[in-house]
Amino acid sequence: MKVTVGMGSCGVAAGAGESLEMLKRSVIGSNVTLVGCNGLCYLEPIVEIDGKAFVKVNEKAAGEIVKLINGEPNDAGQYAIKQDDLNNINGQTRVALANCGVINPENIEEYTARAGYTAAKKCVTGLTPEQVIEEVKTSGIGGRGGAGFPTWFKWNAARSSPGEKKYVICNADEGDPGAFMDRAVIEGDPHAVIEGMLIAAYAIGSDEGIVYVRAEYPLAITRLEIAMKQAREKGFLGQNIFGSGFSFDMRIKAGAGAFVCGEETALIASLEGERGMPRLKPPFPAQKGYQKKPSNINNVETYANIPWIIRNGGAAFSAMGTENSKGTKVFALTGKIKNGGLVEIPMGQSIRDVVFGPGGGIKDGKAFKAVQMGGPSGGCIPAELADTLIDYKTLAATGAIMGSGGMVVMDETTCMVDTARYFLDFTCKESCGKCTHCRVGNRRMLEILERICGGEGREGDIELLSELAEQIQSGSLCQLGMTAPNPVLTTIRYFRNEYEDHINHKKCTARHCKPLLTYNINEQCTGCTLCAKKCPAAAITGEVKKPHVINMEACVQCGKCAEVCRFGAVEVD
C-alpha cells in the first residue's frame, strides 16, 4: 500500500506537514511519502491511498484515514474526493504537470521510473544538436514565460553565435500577482526542469546552467537543490554524461524578488551582481548575454515541456493547441473562483471553458465580471468576451496577453477602476526607474487613479489616462514599462461606465471604493445599538429598540456598521 501526502506550498500552508507526520507515525506496513501539488489547491491537504484521494485532511481526518489503512472501523469516507473534483483533474491534458502530485520530487528513482532522463540520453547519445533543435521546431512550442517566442529560434540563435563558453539560464523569477505555476512545477517535478535544461545545453553547446529563482520560494529552492545533488550522483549532471563526452552542470541563483528581473536583460544584470535593470536590445542574450557570452533563457514551464517533446516527438506536441499556439498551457486560477489552483489544458479552449470547467465557476453565486490575464502586464477581459479562445494572437486582440499563465477571476463586487489602480501601484513599485516614461509616467497615472477612487475624479481624467498610456508605451525601454498601462487601457475600453460613474456621479458601481459609498439605516433596524457602539466616528445615533440614524457628515465611510448589522438594516449605496 502506498500513501502519499501533497506537500506543495499550498498543502504545507493548509497543514499537510502535520498530516504527513501523523501518518508516518501511525501507519504500519505502508509506504508513506510526499508528493508535490496536483493542482487541486482548494482541496488541500490531499492524501492518496493507492490512488484514492482524500481531501481537506486535517488532524481529525488523518486519524480516520489511519483507521482505514489499519483495517479499523472509520469515518474516512466523508473526506473522499467528490467526482466533480476528480473530473477537474482527469479532464486535463498534462505535459508540464504530468508528474506533479504523482511522484516524490525528492526521490530521483520515482522520476526515472517514469522515463525520466531517457529524453536527455536520446539526445546526447543519438541525436545531433541540430536534430534536437529541429524536433523542438516541429513541436511549435513558444516560450511559456509570456511572449510565446519560438523556443527553437532562441536555441538556434545561441548555437549559431560564436564562442566556446555559453550559458543555459532558467527564468524562475515568477513575480506576477496570482501566478504560481513555475513554483508548483519546481516543487513537484524539479528533475523535468533539470532534464529540459540539459537538453537545451546539449543543443546550444553549453556546459553550465543557472536557475534564477526568487528567494520567496524556499521550498522550490530546497527541492531543486536535492534534485541537482541526486542528478550528479546518478551521472546526469557533471562530466562525460552518458559516456558521450558531453559535460554540463548547473547552479541556483536566488533573486531578491524584483518583478523587473523577469525581463531577461535585467535578469542577466542581476546574475552578474548588478542592479536588475534592462538594457537595449540588440545585442540579444543569444548573442551577448550572461558575462557577455551567448546565453539561452527560457522559463520553468518551457524547459519542463522539453523532455516530453523529445520522448513523444515534436509532432505529438504540435497536434495539440491551435495554429498559432501549440501544445498545452498551465494556468493558475485565483480570485473570486470556487476551485482555485492549477490547470493544464491544450491551447484553444475558451476562457469560459476554464473558469466554469475546472475552475468551478464563481464563488457565492455571484456574477462573473472579468478575468485579468497576464498579470500587471496584461489586461482585463470582460465576461461578454468569455468565449475568447486562449491563444497568443486571440488574447492579444482583446488588449490582454497570455503572460506566464495567471488568471485572476473577478465577480460583480470587483471595482474595475480600483483593479487598474492595484496593478499600476504594483508596477510603479517594481519599476527599476531607469527610464522617465515608466518611472514618472506610470506614477502620474497612478495618482489620477487614486484621485478617482477617492472621489476626486475630474472631467478629462479618462482622456488624460489614455494619453499618458500611449506615451508610456511608446517611450519605455522594456516590456515592464511598455505594458504597464494595459490594465488601465482595458478597463477603460470595457468598463468606461465605471470610470464615468466614479468621476461624474461620485459612485462606485461595485460598491467597493469606500470614499464613494453612502450609508443609510432602513426600517428593518431593531435598535440593537450594535452599529452605534462599533462606529469609530460616533456618527450613529438612536434610542434602544428604536430605529437609528447615520449622520453622513460625520461618517468616515469605514463600513463597520454594515459589517456588524445582523438584520440587513444598513443600506450601502
Side-chain angles (χ1 to χ4, degrees):
M1 181 181 291
K2 183 177 181 180
V3 181
T4 64
V5 180
M7 287 285 287
S9 288
C10 51
V12 172
E18 292 80 356
S19 298
L20 176 63
E21 291 305 314
M22 181 176 182
L23 288 166
K24 281 184 174 181
R25 290 194 309 268
S26 307
V27 176
I28 301 171
S30 293
N31 175 21
V32 180
T33 186
L34 64 90
V35 293
C37 171
N38 67 2
L40 304 180
C41 306
Y42 64 102
L43 296 176
E44 294 287 1
I46 299 174
V47 175
E48 290 193 28
I49 303 172
D50 288 339
K52 184 177 181 180
F54 297 84
V55 301
K56 298 184 178 179
V57 181
N58 54 23
E59 187 175 350
K60 179 182 177 182
E64 295 300 319
I65 290 173
V66 169
K67 294 177 185 177
L68 172 67
I69 295 171
N70 292 336
E72 303 170 9
N74 64 85
D75 197 20
Q78 65 175 307
Y79 303 102
I81 190 169
K82 292 180 173 60
Q83 189 60 47
D84 286 348
D85 296 314
L86 196 58
N87 292 341
N88 284 349
I89 193 167
N90 291 339
Q92 298 176 34
T93 302
R94 296 200 154 196
V95 176
L97 297 181
N99 291 329
C100 293
V102 178
I103 66 170
N104 181 347
E106 299 180 9
N107 185 346
I108 193 172
E109 304 293 345
E110 293 197 21
Y111 181 72
T112 56
R114 291 173 62 87
Y117 290 105
T118 59
K121 184 175 182 180
K122 177 181 178 181
C123 291
V124 171
T125 63
L127 299 175
T128 65
E130 291 78 11
Q131 287 174 318
V132 174
I133 293 173
E134 186 63 29
E135 199 67 57
V136 174
K137 182 179 180 180
T138 300
S139 75
I141 185 172
R144 294 310 194 239
F149 193 79
T151 300
W152 78 270
F153 191 93
K154 294 179 76 170
W155 289 20
N156 191 57
R159 175 163 184 79
S160 301
S161 295
E164 293 185 5
K165 183 69 175 180
K166 298 178 181 181
Y167 293 93
V168 170
I169 299 171
C170 177
N171 182 353
D173 189 60
E174 186 175 49
D176 290 13
F180 47 93
M181 301 76 59
D182 290 351
R183 186 200 74 204
V185 171
I186 295 177
E187 290 177 356
D189 193 14
H191 287 286
V193 181
I194 294 172
E195 186 175 9
M197 292 181 67
L198 173 58
I199 292 169
Y202 175 72
I204 74 168
S206 168
D207 65 352
E208 186 174 346
I210 308 168
V211 180
Y212 186 95
V213 58
R214 51 200 305 112
E216 293 95 333
Y217 286 176
L219 184 58
I221 291 173
T222 297
R223 289 191 178 156
L224 190 57
E225 288 173 337
I226 292 171
M228 288 164 54
K229 181 175 182 292
Q230 292 174 343
R232 291 189 190 99
E233 292 170 352
K234 290 285 187 180
F236 301 138
L237 290 177
Q239 301 296 311
N240 194 26
I241 298 170
F242 301 118
S244 64
F246 171 66
S247 301
F248 175 73
D249 209 338
M250 52 191 290
R251 59 186 171 87
I252 297 170
K253 165 68 175 179
F259 179 64
V260 72
C261 288
E263 196 279 335
E264 56 186 11
T265 61
L267 185 154
I268 288 170
S270 180
L271 280 177
E272 294 174 339
E274 302 295 330
R275 183 179 175 189
M277 300 177 79
R279 61 164 173 77
L280 284 171
K281 295 182 286 188
F284 295 96
Q287 302 164 311
K288 186 180 291 185
Y290 178 59
Q291 301 295 356
K292 296 183 171 51
K293 306 295 183 183
S295 306
N296 178 77
I297 304 177
N298 291 119
N299 87 320
V300 169
E301 187 182 340
T302 307
Y303 284 124
N305 277 296
I306 298 300
W308 190 98
I309 290 171
I310 299 298
R311 288 196 307 269
N312 296 277
F317 191 85
S318 180
M320 299 182 284
T322 69
E323 182 180 352
N324 300 310
S325 304
K326 302 296 185 180
T328 63
K329 181 72 187 78
V330 180
F331 289 97
L333 300 178
T334 60
K336 306 296 182 67
I337 195 164
K338 290 180 181 177
N339 304 339
L342 293 170
V343 55
E344 185 172 4
I345 58 165
M347 298 276 202
Q349 291 193 21
S350 71
I351 294 171
R352 188 185 306 278
D353 291 335
V354 177
V355 172
F356 291 93
I362 310 303
K363 290 196 297 188
D364 304 324
K366 302 289 186 181
F368 175 38
K369 187 172 186 176
V371 60
Q372 170 78 6
M373 295 192 65
S377 301
C380 294
I381 302 174
E384 55 263 32
L385 296 182
D387 292 318
T388 299
L389 300 185
I390 296 172
D391 74 8
Y392 290 100
K393 187 175 181 180
T394 308
L395 288 176
T398 69
I401 60 173
M402 182 85 70
S404 58
M407 274 195 188
V408 182
V409 180
M410 304 169 191
D411 68 13
E412 61 193 87
T413 66
T414 304
C415 172
M416 304 312 295
V417 184
D418 185 66
T419 296
R421 182 208 59 78
Y422 168 81
F423 281 108
L424 197 62
D425 178 67
F426 176 88
T427 307
C428 285
K429 290 173 179 174
E430 295 295 333
S431 171
C432 74
K434 186 173 186 177
C435 53
T436 305
H437 285 79
C438 179
R439 182 183 69 250
V440 179
N442 282 316
R443 177 61 60 181
R444 297 291 84 81
M445 287 184 72
L446 178 61
E447 289 170 356
I448 295 170
L449 289 170
E450 288 174 338
R451 276 201 296 100
I452 294 173
C453 291
E456 298 177 3
R458 307 169 192 155
E459 186 178 348
D461 276 349
I462 298 175
E463 291 73 22
L464 182 54
L465 285 169
S466 300
E467 181 183 348
L468 283 167
E470 183 179 344
Q471 293 178 6
I472 293 165
Q473 287 179 324
S474 63
S476 293
L477 174 64
C478 81
Q479 287 298 312
L480 184 147
M482 292 178 188
T483 60
N486 283 350
V488 181
L489 291 174
T490 52
T491 51
I492 290 175
R493 178 178 176 181
Y494 298 116
F495 302 95
R496 188 183 182 96
N497 63 303
E498 294 197 24
Y499 281 85
E500 291 172 344
D501 284 342
H502 278 67
I503 295 169
N504 300 328
H505 307 298
K506 308 304 179 188
K507 294 290 183 183
C508 177
T509 310
R511 299 180 179 178
H512 173 81
C513 298
K514 289 183 178 180
L516 297 174
L517 301 182
T518 56
Y519 298 84
N520 179 57
I521 297 177
N522 61 32
E523 65 277 2
Q524 296 184 57
C525 178
T526 63
C528 72
T529 74
L530 185 59
C531 60
K533 292 176 180 177
K534 295 295 183 179
C535 178
I540 302 176
T541 57
E543 298 178 21
V544 177
K545 296 185 179 181
K546 290 185 179 181
H548 283 43
V549 177
I550 299 177
N551 177 3
M552 282 307 299
E553 291 185 3
C555 177
V556 294
Q557 297 152 307
C558 66
K560 195 67 179 178
C561 53
E563 180 184 324
V564 301
C565 182
R566 296 168 293 179
F567 306 101
V570 180
E571 296 176 343
V572 185
D573 187 20

